[in-house]
Amino acid sequence: MSNTLELALQLISRRSITPHDEGCLDIIGTRLEPLGFKLEMMRCGDVDNLWARRGKSGPVVCFAGHTDVVPTGPVDKWHSDPFIPTIRDGMLYGRGTSDMKGSLAAFVTSIEKFVAAHPFHNGSIALLLTSDEEGIAVDGTVRVVETLQARGEKLDYCIVGEPTSVSKTGDTIKNGRRGSLSGTLTVKGVQGHIAYPHLVKNPIHMVAPAIAELAATVWDTGNEYFPHTSWQISNIHGGTGAANVVPGTVEIMFNFRFSTASTVEGLQSRVHEILDRHKLEYDLKWELSGKPYLTPRGDLVDAVGAAINQVTGIDTELSTGGGTSDGRFIADICPQVLEVGPLNATIHKINECIPVADLDALSEIYYLTLKNLLVKSA
């Protein structure tokens, strides 16, 4: 049994459903401290966070991730207990195998190997770990980032261990994510009897032309790394439940998944301009879940790409697809952020699993990335 597999089994066996860590950070800290890492536990509310750093100089290479996992769903649908990691036919089963305790184990063993081979390496190695990524993410990574900002600590490179691979570990990495901007729009009318249309103002009818224009608007055309920005309605609520009553209001919930080709302020301004031009009486509440971030080709992309090619023979692809990740917070203090992790085919599913062999491959990718970034070539 490899060191990476052994550590993964320990972590997966902990029932660390968000926001609970259940001792995972202690397991990891016990491995890091003998390597010379300074450990800082940062508990915020019910969330456990760990900031660990070895070295005082730059560049700073940070591994980031989360110990929490999503609920298992019906346990009787699993082929084995989701918190008793089980190997069958070369696959490791258990909640968190892919998202993302396998990556955490690979982080640690790659660092152990690197420090053993290069005890006097350049720069610093850090880990930023939380138990609040799968939930509302208000007391996790964002709080650690705020603490580091207040101290003036910055990162040069960050690797987030989210599962990014599609068919084979290393085939895809995320070099950015779209932002998420939501709005709750309430359009006001006049309620009344449906048989007396001259005495009512139907807010659903009134807002319909504006909806059509919002849906047809080209917000941007994207760029080399991002698709165009998308505006989508998720919910519409209007009416009293009676067939003969025109409602007084209609509520519309919508969301932008937006690229770096747009700004929050620009999108908000254009929405208000359309609503105002249609002469609607309305309230609109905005919620920003995350800003977009982008790491173009450069030192980190090159270092990770070379490591993946050396281990797997694959020329990795860059992607900005999918939802949000904690990379959106880390990008505030780090100019180069990548997500690099195992297969994502079974994340959040019943019988989550990854190939056992991929754990050591991932550890080697992380190790070679550290070597590419922190060891000076002759």
Side-chain angles (χ1 to χ4, degrees):
M1 183 181 296
S2 74
N3 289 334
T4 308
L5 175 58
E6 183 178 9
L7 180 54
L9 297 179
Q10 293 180 51
L11 296 172
I12 295 164
S13 67
R14 300 300 178 108
R15 298 175 180 269
S16 56
I17 298 172
T18 311
H20 304 293
D21 169 69
E22 297 298 326
C24 290
L25 292 177
D26 289 335
I27 293 172
I28 293 171
T30 299
R31 301 283 288 258
L32 296 176
E33 200 163 24
L35 302 177
F37 278 83
K38 178 184 177 182
L39 308 182
E40 293 183 65
M41 296 297 296
M42 302 182 187
R43 186 169 175 85
C44 300
D46 295 327
V47 177
D48 290 303
N49 303 300
L50 172 64
W51 170 248
R53 178 167 173 170
R54 182 184 197 272
K56 297 181 179 179
S57 63
V60 181
V61 181
C62 177
F63 292 103
H66 58 90
T67 61
D68 60 315
V69 298
V70 297
T72 63
V75 174
D76 61 349
K77 300 294 184 182
W78 286 71
H79 295 156
S80 54
D81 188 309
F83 292 108
I84 299 178
T86 304
I87 298 173
R88 294 192 303 274
D89 300 323
M91 302 294 291
L92 174 60
Y93 290 83
R95 177 57 85 221
T97 51
S98 178
D99 191 11
M100 58 176 290
K101 291 179 177 179
S103 295
L104 299 184
F107 284 167
V108 173
T109 57
S110 71
I111 292 169
E112 289 173 336
K113 179 178 178 180
F114 180 78
V115 171
H118 307 280
F120 306 107
H121 60 81
N122 298 317
S124 301
I125 305 171
L127 285 93
L128 195 170
L129 306 178
T130 183
S131 64
D132 183 37
E133 196 275 343
E134 298 289 7
I136 57 176
V138 296
D139 285 323
T141 298
V142 64
R143 298 299 182 209
V144 181
V145 167
E146 289 171 353
T147 300
L148 297 178
Q149 281 180 313
R151 299 197 308 220
E153 276 191 78
K154 295 183 179 180
L155 312 177
D156 295 283
Y157 311 108
C158 184
I159 296 170
V160 185
E162 291 291 346
T164 58
S165 302
V166 179
S167 300
K168 184 177 180 180
T169 289
D171 63 3
T172 306
I173 61 178
K174 305 283 187 180
N175 67 319
R177 295 277 189 161
R178 293 175 294 175
S180 178
L181 175 64
S182 297
T184 301
L185 171 67
T186 302
V187 177
K188 302 175 184 179
V190 175
Q191 179 177 319
H193 198 295
I194 204 165
Y196 298 88
H198 59 290
L199 300 178
V200 301
K201 288 185 177 180
N202 192 318
I204 299 174
H205 294 182
M206 294 160 60
V207 75
I211 290 175
E213 183 171 348
L214 290 165
T217 296
V218 177
W219 303 96
D220 61 49
T221 57
N223 54 38
E224 178 185 358
Y225 299 101
F226 284 99
H228 63 84
T229 290
S230 169
W231 181 85
Q232 297 289 332
I233 290 176
S234 58
N235 288 274
I236 297 181
H237 301 285
T240 64
N244 59 352
V245 179
V246 170
T249 61
V250 60
E251 181 182 272
I252 300 166
M253 300 173 68
F254 63 84
N255 177 267
F256 282 105
R257 291 301 165 106
F258 65 104
S259 73
T260 52
S262 287
T263 65
V264 173
E265 296 76 16
L267 295 173
Q268 290 174 329
S269 176
R270 293 177 69 186
V271 169
H272 282 287
E273 188 277 326
I274 291 171
L275 297 175
D276 292 341
R277 182 155 36 78
H278 286 272
K279 299 180 179 180
L280 299 172
E281 183 182 357
Y282 67 91
D283 291 323
L284 179 50
K285 296 179 181 179
W286 294 97
E287 180 181 358
L288 178 65
S289 301
K291 296 179 292 184
Y293 73 90
L294 175 66
T295 298
R297 291 174 176 84
D299 293 343
L300 185 56
V301 171
D302 290 346
V304 171
I308 290 172
N309 183 266
Q310 187 171 340
V311 174
T312 69
I314 294 172
D315 292 326
T316 191
E317 293 187 9
L318 300 178
S319 170
T320 59
T324 59
S325 77
D326 276 1
R328 68 191 189 274
F329 305 126
I330 299 168
D332 287 340
I333 59 170
C334 184
Q336 298 187 52
V337 179
L338 288 182
E339 297 173 35
V340 185
L343 296 175
N344 58 21
T346 62
I347 58 174
H348 295 202
K349 292 183 177 182
I350 303 293
N351 294 317
E352 180 181 351
C353 61
I354 58 172
V356 172
D358 285 7
L359 290 170
D360 286 336
L362 190 60
S363 178
E364 187 69 8
I365 289 168
Y366 293 152
Y367 164 76
L368 291 174
T369 299
L370 285 172
K371 187 177 178 181
N372 291 340
L373 292 171
L374 296 181
V375 178
K376 292 182 178 179
S377 58

